[in-house]
Amino acid sequence: MKIVSNRPLKEWQVDVIKKVVPDAQVEWPGKGQGLDGFIDDAEVFLSLIGGPIITSDLFPKAKRLKWIHVGAAGVDDVLFPELVESPVIVTNCRGIH
């Protein structure tokens, strides 16, 4: 399973993901890179504050995407009609504090 984060994760975070999903391939773009080329075969996208987001232009390329997790309470910035109408699940961090 390919998991793409829009920002670098710490080693311990990747370790936690791999404990839950041992076959996870966790990637993120380098500084200044966009998501193009990373999102094409991703099944999970971690949309963290301050990183690039999946736009309506990029969304058609994300053919295997099943889940977007937003690292904030609000999801308004990541929603667009094609995503809302798709089977992709969108979750957020509401209530974790």
Side-chain angles (χ1 to χ4, degrees):
M1 170 185 291
K2 183 174 175 183
I3 300 171
V4 173
S5 175
N6 64 348
R7 297 192 55 193
L9 300 178
K10 293 181 169 52
E11 185 176 340
W12 70 266
Q13 293 169 311
V14 174
D15 290 343
V16 169
I17 291 169
K18 290 191 175 220
K19 277 186 181 179
V20 177
V21 185
D23 67 334
Q25 175 187 348
V26 184
E27 298 180 2
W28 51 83
K31 189 172 184 170
Q33 281 185 296
L35 296 171
D36 205 8
F38 285 89
I39 204 67
D40 298 2
D41 56 349
E43 293 180 61
V44 177
F45 179 65
L46 304 175
S47 184
L48 306 175
I49 296 171
I53 62 173
I54 295 178
T55 61
S56 59
D57 293 338
L58 268 179
F59 188 64
K61 295 180 181 183
K63 298 197 183 309
R64 298 185 64 201
L65 192 63
K66 297 177 183 168
W67 177 28
I68 296 174
H69 180 72
V70 179
V75 296
D76 295 347
D77 291 343
V78 301
L79 296 178
F80 47 88
E82 296 87 353
L83 175 58
V84 171
E85 295 167 6
S86 79
V88 174
I89 297 167
V90 178
T91 58
N92 65 3
C93 286
R94 181 176 178 243
I96 66 163
H97 298 292

